[in-house]
């Protein structure tokens, strides 16, 4: 998922600070979502907001332990991830056909 | 403002040329005033308005510190949603309220089927949430209890059938 989120903005020539990897850069997940929306445009807004919500939920669960993730939410996350994958593939075909 | 301070509804602290004013939580009418504000212009009516037209939503309520009136100004707001609801459709509506009130809203979404299964399996998290105070946004406490009771009854029937 992280990889798909990052592909469009990397191919637009944008890079994350520190080093060209998502590993070990503080806030890299939040940044990835912000950039995905910028790179893919309005068509990705709803999905990106949804994934950002999942990211925040993961933080709440990991750091406070007062929330749970439900099977209903997990099922939707998988469905939306597949949608996002298809969106990124289509974006690559349209904007960078040489990479397909 | 000074009149409200004089009658004890607000508290005022002066630091040099600055005055800091806040609600007096020890006032005998603090709870009623707080309820009035929450019901008219607070986060509760905003959330209620934002979720009431979400497709497939049967029940929605606030639980946790806000429902128990124990929250700090910066506390997250925990919302439970039951029904055939798309979290992706729900997210922008909740985010708009977050921006307006400056507090993070944490939704937990259950399909009715998963909710019933978890209740009948005596899921600790859900039992705690159901036992504690809630602020209903969509649906009533009776409707919620009826869904939970039906789930427990059907689980009891399955258990009985298994022991025969």
């Amino acid at each position: 998922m992280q990889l798909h989120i990052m592909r469009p903005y990397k191919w637009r020539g944008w890079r994350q600070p520190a080093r060209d990897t998502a590993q070990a850069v503080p806030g890299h997940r939040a940044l990835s979502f912000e950039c995905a929306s910028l790179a893919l445009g309005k068509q990705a807004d709803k999905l990106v907001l949804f994934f950002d919500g999942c990211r925040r939920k993961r933080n709440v669960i990991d750091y406070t332990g007062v929330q749970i993730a439900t099977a209903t939410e997990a099922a939707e996350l998988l469905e939306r991830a597949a949608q996002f994958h298809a969106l990124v593939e289509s974006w690559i075909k349209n904007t960078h056909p040489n990479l397909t | 403002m000074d009149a409200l301070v004089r009658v004890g509804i607000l508290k005022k602290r002066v630091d040099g040329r600055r005055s800091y004013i806040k609600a007096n939580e020890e006032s005998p009418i603090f709870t009623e005033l707080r309820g009035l504000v929450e019901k008219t212009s607070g986060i509760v009516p905003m959330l209620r308005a934002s979720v009431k037209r979400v497709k497939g939503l049967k029940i929605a309520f606030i639980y946790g510190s806000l429902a128990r009136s124990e929250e700090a100004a910066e506390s997250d707001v925990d919302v439970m949603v039951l029904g055939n609801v798309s979290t992706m459709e729900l997210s922008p509506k909740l985010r708009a309220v977050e921006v307006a009130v400056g507090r993070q809203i944490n939704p937990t979404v259950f399909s009715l089927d998963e909710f019933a299964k978890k209740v009948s399996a005596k899921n600790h998290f859900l039992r705690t949430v159901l036992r504690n105070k809630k602020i209903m946004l969509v649906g009533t406490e009776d409707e919620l209890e009826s869904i939970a009771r039906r789930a427990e009854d059907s689980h009891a029937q399955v258990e009985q059938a298994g022991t025969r």
Side-chain angles (χ1 to χ4, degrees), chain A residues 46-50 52-54 56-57 60 64 66-73 76 80 83, chain B residues 63 76 78 85-89 91-92 95 98 104-111 114 118 125:
Chain A
K46 266 188 161 180
L47 279 167
V48 168
L49 189 61
F50 167 76
D52 193 48
C54 296
R56 297 191 327 174
K57 179 157 198 149
V60 173
T64 70
V66 296
Q67 281 276 325
I68 59 160
T70 68
T72 307
E73 291 165 335
E76 185 174 353
R80 301 300 178 198
Q83 265 181 21
Chain B
Y63 65 97
D76 290 358
D78 300 316
V85 176
S86 154
T87 309
M88 191 169 84
E89 297 305 320
S91 299
R95 194 60 73 94
E98 277 186 349
Q104 183 168 324
I105 298 168
N106 301 321
T108 298
V109 179
F110 279 101
S111 65
E114 187 189 2
K118 290 259 165 68
F125 174 79

Side-chain angles (χ1 to χ4, degrees), chain B residues 61-108:
Chain B
F61 59 89
I62 297 171
Y63 65 97
S65 62
L66 177 62
R68 295 192 306 269
S69 300
E70 293 170 1
E71 89 281 16
E74 71 283 3
S75 292
D76 290 358
V77 179
D78 300 316
V79 176
M80 188 165 288
V81 173
L82 311 184
N84 188 18
V85 176
S86 154
T87 309
M88 191 169 84
E89 297 305 320
L90 185 66
S91 299
K93 296 176 191 294
L94 297 183
R95 194 60 73 94
V97 178
E98 277 186 349
V99 171
V101 299
R103 290 164 78 169
Q104 183 168 324
I105 298 168
N106 301 321
T108 298

Side-chain angles (χ1 to χ4, degrees), chain A residues 30-95:
Chain A
L31 186 67
S32 300
F33 289 118
E34 282 171 32
C35 293
S37 213
L38 282 172
L40 291 164
K42 275 208 165 297
Q43 55 180 344
D45 280 359
K46 266 188 161 180
L47 279 167
V48 168
L49 189 61
F50 167 76
F51 292 130
D52 193 48
C54 296
R55 174 192 68 78
R56 297 191 327 174
K57 179 157 198 149
R58 174 235 176 225
N59 284 347
V60 173
I61 293 171
D62 268 13
Y63 301 132
T64 70
V66 296
Q67 281 276 325
I68 59 160
T70 68
T72 307
E73 291 165 335
E76 185 174 353
L77 178 57
L78 288 175
E79 190 189 322
R80 301 300 178 198
Q83 265 181 21
F84 189 73
H85 186 187
L87 178 70
V88 172
E89 293 292 341
S90 137
W91 179 85
I92 294 167
K93 266 185 203 156
N94 293 331
T95 55

Side-chain angles (χ1 to χ4, degrees), chain B residues 8-140:
Chain B
I9 290 173
L10 297 179
K11 266 184 176 173
K12 184 176 179 182
R13 181 171 64 85
V14 178
D15 181 11
R17 294 171 62 189
R18 289 182 184 159
S19 295
Y20 298 92
I21 292 169
K22 64 173 218 169
N24 179 8
E25 292 175 24
E26 287 146 24
S27 161
I29 59 166
F30 172 76
T31 311
E32 285 80 2
L33 284 176
R34 175 198 167 113
L36 194 63
V37 170
E38 275 178 357
K39 280 177 188 142
T40 53
S41 60
I43 191 167
V44 176
M46 287 178 79
L47 271 175
R48 200 168 274 144
S50 75
V51 300
K52 74 177 176 188
R53 290 193 211 287
V54 172
K55 201 174 148 200
L57 192 149
K58 299 287 180 208
I59 302 272
F61 59 89
I62 297 171
Y63 65 97
S65 62
L66 177 62
R68 295 192 306 269
S69 300
E70 293 170 1
E71 89 281 16
E74 71 283 3
S75 292
D76 290 358
V77 179
D78 300 316
V79 176
M80 188 165 288
V81 173
L82 311 184
N84 188 18
V85 176
S86 154
T87 309
M88 191 169 84
E89 297 305 320
L90 185 66
S91 299
K93 296 176 191 294
L94 297 183
R95 194 60 73 94
V97 178
E98 277 186 349
V99 171
V101 299
R103 290 164 78 169
Q104 183 168 324
I105 298 168
N106 301 321
T108 298
V109 179
F110 279 101
S111 65
L112 287 177
D113 188 44
E114 187 189 2
F115 180 77
K117 278 182 189 157
K118 290 259 165 68
V119 169
S120 65
K122 303 195 185 310
N123 177 273
H124 176 70
F125 174 79
L126 274 185
R127 282 170 74 94
T128 309
V129 167
L130 292 175
R131 208 173 37 233
N132 284 318
K133 282 191 177 169
K134 295 170 275 297
I135 299 172
M136 299 307 293
L137 300 170
V138 175
T140 64

